[in-house]
Amino acid sequence: MLETQVRELQAALVSANPAAVQQQALAVRSATAALADWLDRTPFAQHPEEIRQRIRALGTQLSSTRDQLARVMSLTSQQAASLLPPADLVTYGPAATSKARIYRAPG
């Protein structure tokens, strides 16, 4: 099940569909949590070799998916930077160059 979810997430990343990426990322997260719960109930050494190999392959697949997601995020940031003007570092006007003053009310 997790293998299918990861493949669908990779396909969503390639399709550049943000809604599909978010939906598939949530599905991968819940499938990963279910796998972790299952693994916690039984020691790794008691699992058949086939299951251990599948888990190792999933680790490799998740790592490449993480790298793919990082590339997509980087490209998106670069595209947004090329479309939007740079933001000023100061939000409320020029930075104060003198010390703060304390004002007292008259009277």
Side-chain angles (χ1 to χ4, degrees):
M1 178 173 167
L2 181 56
E3 291 130 332
T4 303
Q5 299 297 334
V6 171
R7 280 193 299 272
E8 289 177 4
L9 175 59
Q10 289 172 335
L13 285 169
V14 170
S15 73
N17 181 347
V21 169
Q22 182 176 9
Q23 180 182 6
Q24 293 306 320
L26 291 173
V28 167
R29 180 182 292 167
S30 66
T32 304
L35 176 63
D37 289 342
W38 180 75
L39 289 173
D40 283 343
R41 289 191 295 265
T42 56
F44 191 71
Q46 292 180 0
H47 298 149
E49 183 60 30
E50 178 189 348
I51 297 294
R52 286 189 247 162
Q53 288 175 356
R54 287 177 63 189
I55 291 171
R56 287 186 197 106
L58 269 170
T60 302
Q61 197 174 11
L62 284 171
S63 178
S64 68
T65 303
R66 238 187 339 263
D67 293 344
Q68 185 181 6
L69 182 58
R71 284 191 296 275
V72 168
M73 289 174 56
S74 176
L75 286 171
T76 303
S77 295
Q78 290 172 0
Q79 290 170 346
S82 69
L83 294 174
L84 301 172
D88 292 333
L89 295 177
V90 180
T91 305
Y92 298 104
T97 56
S98 62
K99 294 181 180 179
R101 297 182 203 156
I102 298 174
Y103 294 97
R104 296 181 187 212

